[in-house]
Amino acid sequence: MEDLKIINKGLEDEMEIGGYRPCRWKLALVGVGVVCSGGFLLLLLYWMPEWGVKATCSRTTVKEADMVLLRSTDEFKRWFLAKVRVMLAPGRNPFDNLDSQTTSTATANGHTPHGPRTPDSPSQEIRHMYAEYQPMQIRYFTLHSTKYYWSDTAQNFVVFTGLEDLEVTCSTVHSKHSTGLSRNQQEYRRLFFGVNEIAVKVPSVFKLLIKEVLNPFYIFQLFSVILWSADEYYYYAAAIVFMSVVSIATSLYTIKKQYVMLHDMVAAHSIVRVSVIRANNEIEEAMSTDLVPGDVMVIPSNGTIMPCDAVLVSGTCIVNESMLTGESVPVTKTNLPNPRQGGRGSDSDTVYCTEEHKRHTLFCGTNVIQTRFYSGELVKAVVVRTGFSTAKGQLVRSILYPKPTDFKLYRDAYLFLLCLVAVAGIGFIYSIALSIINKVPAKTIIIESLDIITITVPPALPAAMTAGIVYAQRRLKHIGIFCISPQRINICGQLNLVCFDKTGTLTEDGLDLWGIQRVENKSFLLSEENAYRESLVKSQFVACMATCHSLTKIEGQLSGDPLDLKMFEATGWILEEATEEETSLHNRIMPTVVRPPKQLLPEPTVSSQQDMELYELSQSGYEIGIVRQFPFSSALQRMSVVTRTLGEKRMEAFLKGAPEVVASLCKKDTVPEDFAEVLEDYTKQGFRVIALAHRRLESKLTWHKVQNVSRDHIEANMEFLGLIIMQNKLKPETPGVLEDLRRANIRTVMVTGDNMLTAISVARDCGMIPPEDRVIIADALPPKDGQAAKINWRYADNPTKSSGKATRLEEVEISLEDVSQGEEARQSERYHFAMSGKAFAVITEHFQDLLQKLVLHGTVFARMAPDQKTQLVEVLQSVDYFVGMCGDGANDCGALKRAHGGISLSELEASVASPFTSRTPNISCVPNLIREGRAALITSFCVFKFMALYSIIQYISVTLLYSILSNLGDFQFLFIDIAIILLIVFTMSLNPAWKELVPRRPPSGLISGPLLFSVLTQILVCLGFQTMAFLWVRKQSWWEPWTPLSDTRGDFNQTFCLSSQCACNLSSSSNISLELNETELDDHYIKNYENTTLFYVSSFQYLIVAIVFSKGKPFRQPSYKNWPFVLSACSLYAFLFFILFYPISAIDDFLEIVCVPFQWRLTILLIVFVNAVVCILVEGSIDLWGCGCVSWPCCRQKRVPKARYMHLAQELSVDPDWPPKPKTTTEAKPPPPSAPPAGQPPPPTRPENGSYRIIAAS
């Protein structure tokens, strides 16, 4: 047997794969089993696909398999089945260039001599084209809208994603892939990549119906209905059928609606007409569905919706990427730089990657608003990925095939059901044994013993469990929180850590200009409020503010990054863009021009020598043209532009970006000495600081040369101009919400792309880090020049110790004695870790053991990339935190999707990735969601406990009645299940959430000591009182086996009825004669004193446990505020008291209850009253002392906390080296260099990321 292979190794959807072939004798055996089991075996194999494959197939190699069985390697271990298919193709690799080997069938341009291609002829054309080739059989299978092809090279199934599979460099994209494909090459590639379409197939109602009906729950209901019909419980069976039909119809409508919504969202603009450049430079119109990786498409000047992922190779585009990022701010995309152009070497030539080169990549589903182009040169893009491989396709796949939400409640629910099945098994055996002893007919034995199972496992349980979630979803909608994944509401009740994005989430979305601080003669001038002054109009500082941005005019309105917008508006300048007509008149791209308003310019003085032409030129004002733009890159943390001032010959470069980055690119003699101190001062106050720089370019750089020059060449030897200080105000709700979360023992963490010190300052301002707490910055450095990776530890804001000078490191011994002196102080002092994205990456790679310790107290994570935010969420989840994530949708999609509860504050399309979307654009939605989650979770517990008690109470009643060969009647079942249970279940779920968050969290699962203890004690109480009532009624002096004559006023009344105690209100003689004539026997022996007694007692018990379990504070509002529940309970109590003390013959006949003496009715009342008191006292005691009593046996042993983060916290509390001291360095130890001596065992292998040593800095 071959070992299992792994596909998608290292990716989120990594799976083990095994090969199988159908086996005839196994198939025959299963066929016999299906016939013998009446089709049940077939259902079982449908529910368990892995069993189905193993039962009907034999194992083979993956290469020769007819079907493959896959299992995910994540914690869910899900099984998938796929059929292996075979296709014929001229080659095995979509990127093989078969044209170079073809015969005269193909022309030099790659076109066939046969006229235009018909839509249905691609495969025929391919076969004709490559007729000489022996067609190859290529094995593949499709899973989750992805095709996996067999690769002889990899000896495994692989996915062809697109052009990136070739690992093409930027220069190769220009040299080999920008000329376009021949039509035959395109057809050949389409065999592998398929149609370029994100097809969300809406299943037919019939398919959905079959899938829904074959759900184990509905099969069980069908079995129950057949059984009840056989037992002549027609009304009850009809009621359950009606409920099931309504449930199935509702479910089908919801699922169908979701599919249609997703289909409509994806289908909108997904198929468009595109212009494609062929290999002979011809442009042809085609449908976007025909595109394949390697095609070159022309982006129309009036814009389009992108049908694929493509990289720009010429021209510039302005794109709205809100579908992907959540930001509706237009982004400028520039053409991919060609390192080989301009004679540069291959050093700067990097492999093209959509993530790294996203500023040059147009993503599928994004809206290209307009294009900029050279005259005679089109805006061209090379198709990189198509279909489900695109960014939009992957987003749709994640919605179509989501990961299951792993929550203890649902796992425990299945365990609980198994316990109920075990209880049912005991009753099953008991009823069979009892029936055989009493010589009951075989048919009755089968029906009644199976009936026990349907009683114990309540068919209404799933509907009851979802009721609380549906109500919570409705309440969330009422407060402006929309949910696309209702099951996550319960999980939100468990959240104990919430990550917040900073900008737009904790702080206001926009930035305000607080001031500027210019530099002259290598020193900072005093800060100035604004740049809108006549004296500064021609300064390099203002010119940089006016030109170094990516703003554009769309329909006459300035649009772009909010920061750029604020900065440009602060100058008061005017931006003008060339029209399409102007652009087409020139041989080169027309620049965007900026100029100051006339009122800021000094009046020009005209001398007598000045000629008319120069005078007019000076009158036209002072203008700067933006010749080339290098857009902002989050990886580089900067942007730059090349400009030319009107009348000047030499061009200039302006740079804007993160202060540390800009300073590193400037000449040292232009950066002020106190730069670090000034910057730290601003960032500590929470300001966002941007640095500006400038440089005059060489005169030899012409307009055309500038278009091809590299970014690194421009962004060097700059002159430092100064700082722009932007203020990012906290949202007014932020501090209060964070204080509420802190009081509720919910940790808060900041995950931002902003500067570290700014983030720490905001964290202090909003109360995330209290004023008295220390902040330790973990500054990690990757391995360099043979040195191991290391982490430098320092305090963030210790003004007495920060010197601004680099520390020299030397190795020292730290003795335990030194540590122990400050041990008490250290333990009382609270601390927080802060780190940047770069440090996080180094720690993740080289200090894996340290990472979990750091996130335990990590509060600020700055300069984090989108994928790092997702990684952080996963690390926090790995130490058993229930993680919430709140972001404004921009760059937070991955983290929002991965968190247990992701809340997007953006209502844009990107919120489709987030389980929750808030209409209120501030974090006040977070505590609201947690409160509702807690209420829904407690409701689920209440409902589950109630449903468990309901089934057990009914099970006790039926088991007791079986002992006298009796049972509950059809209408008794109907009254209990419909009138009592359904009414109570759907109203007890209506309790709203408690008005504030409390420090205590609800239990996460049903299998917890107090909860199980509560259920078991209530079961014992109910069992005790039912058994007591059952035995007590048989001990009464008036008791005898009931007959229809017992209700008359004959001997029974003379013997047992005193005038004041007569139970039956049959007054007329006609009634008496009617009863005497109605002597037909009751087949099921329903009417008897035991049945009536148990019916009354059990009916009251259902209501008692409903009230006992329907808890309020501290997670829900008290039950008396839930008026539908109060009304339902009171009405049912009133009705039961009424029929108990004032029997009406019609109701008695309907419910098949018999007449009992008035004294016994008072006894029943007493039993019910004592039962209620005992239930309330028991539940109250468990609430007060339950946790202590249940955990008491464990107290003698030292309790190990269940959650890993608590376990880690316990370990660290006694670790003398934790937290690391300031000015120390943790260094990763390199692996041992040599092998052990001969004859000695090798030392235990310990990875590099598990070892480190501490060295101190002086």
Side-chain angles (χ1 to χ4, degrees), residues 928-988:
N928 288 337
L929 178 63
I930 297 172
R931 283 191 306 106
E932 288 298 346
R934 287 180 172 187
L937 187 57
I938 288 298
T939 299
S940 294
F941 287 144
C942 293
V943 168
F944 208 97
K945 284 163 72 177
F946 174 68
M947 291 302 281
L949 256 293
Y950 142 65
S951 59
I952 295 294
I953 289 169
Q954 201 167 75
Y955 169 78
I956 293 165
S957 305
V958 170
T959 310
L960 288 171
L961 290 173
Y962 272 11
S963 67
I964 58 164
L965 303 183
S966 179
N967 200 350
L968 290 171
D970 190 4
F971 289 103
Q972 287 177 342
F973 275 124
L974 201 65
F975 173 74
I976 291 167
D977 288 7
I978 308 297
I980 298 182
I981 303 305
L982 281 187
L983 196 61
I984 290 296
V985 157
F986 290 119
T987 55
M988 80 186 293

Side-chain angles (χ1 to χ4, degrees), residues 12 187 483 544 571 593 627 672 703 819 913 965 1035 1068 1092 1161 1242:
E12 195 179 17
E187 297 289 5
C483 172
C544 186
T571 64
V593 174
V627 178
W703 197 295
V819 175
L965 303 183
K1035 297 286 182 194
S1068 65
T1092 300
R1161 294 168 194 269

Side-chain angles (χ1 to χ4, degrees), residues 659-670:
E660 306 92 333
V661 174
V662 172
S664 70
L665 297 171
C666 290
K667 296 174 190 169
K668 292 283 176 260
D669 58 351
T670 64

Side-chain angles (χ1 to χ4, degrees), residues 500 504-509 729-741 765-767 905 920-928:
F500 292 98
T505 304
L506 297 172
T507 60
E508 296 289 357
D509 213 352
K729 293 174 186 169
L730 278 177
K731 287 184 178 176
E733 302 83 3
T734 299
V737 170
L738 293 179
E739 178 59 24
D740 288 348
L741 294 174
D765 289 347
C766 65
L905 301 186
T920 48
N922 61 62
I923 63 167
S924 61
C925 59
V926 175
N928 288 337

Side-chain angles (χ1 to χ4, degrees), residues 924-1081:
S924 61
C925 59
V926 175
N928 288 337
L929 178 63
I930 297 172
R931 283 191 306 106
E932 288 298 346
R934 287 180 172 187
L937 187 57
I938 288 298
T939 299
S940 294
F941 287 144
C942 293
V943 168
F944 208 97
K945 284 163 72 177
F946 174 68
M947 291 302 281
L949 256 293
Y950 142 65
S951 59
I952 295 294
I953 289 169
Q954 201 167 75
Y955 169 78
I956 293 165
S957 305
V958 170
T959 310
L960 288 171
L961 290 173
Y962 272 11
S963 67
I964 58 164
L965 303 183
S966 179
N967 200 350
L968 290 171
D970 190 4
F971 289 103
Q972 287 177 342
F973 275 124
L974 201 65
F975 173 74
I976 291 167
D977 288 7
I978 308 297
I980 298 182
I981 303 305
L982 281 187
L983 196 61
I984 290 296
V985 157
F986 290 119
T987 55
M988 80 186 293
S989 305
L990 284 168
N991 287 36
W994 187 246
K995 51 186 177 287
E996 59 191 41
L997 280 175
V998 293
R1000 211 173 100 204
R1001 273 194 308 145
S1004 59
L1006 289 163
I1007 314 297
S1008 64
L1011 210 140
L1012 280 179
F1013 192 55
S1014 163
V1015 170
L1016 289 171
T1017 49
Q1018 294 296 343
I1019 287 172
L1020 291 173
V1021 170
C1022 293
L1023 172 67
F1025 280 97
Q1026 275 205 56
T1027 310
M1028 183 179 76
F1030 178 76
L1031 297 173
W1032 199 354
V1033 72
R1034 293 171 71 87
K1035 297 286 182 194
Q1036 297 301 307
S1037 54
W1038 47 263
W1039 181 87
E1040 64 176 16
W1042 186 91
T1043 65
L1045 297 170
S1046 304
D1047 273 358
T1048 65
R1049 290 182 172 234
D1051 296 336
F1052 174 92
N1053 284 345
Q1054 289 172 12
T1055 314
F1056 301 114
C1057 257
L1058 304 174
S1059 59
S1060 62
Q1061 280 188 335
C1062 204
C1064 304
N1065 294 320
L1066 301 170
S1067 51
S1068 65
S1069 58
S1070 62
N1071 280 345
I1072 297 168
S1073 60
L1074 181 67
E1075 284 293 337
L1076 288 169
N1077 290 334
E1078 232 176 61
T1079 55
E1080 58 194 44
L1081 288 172

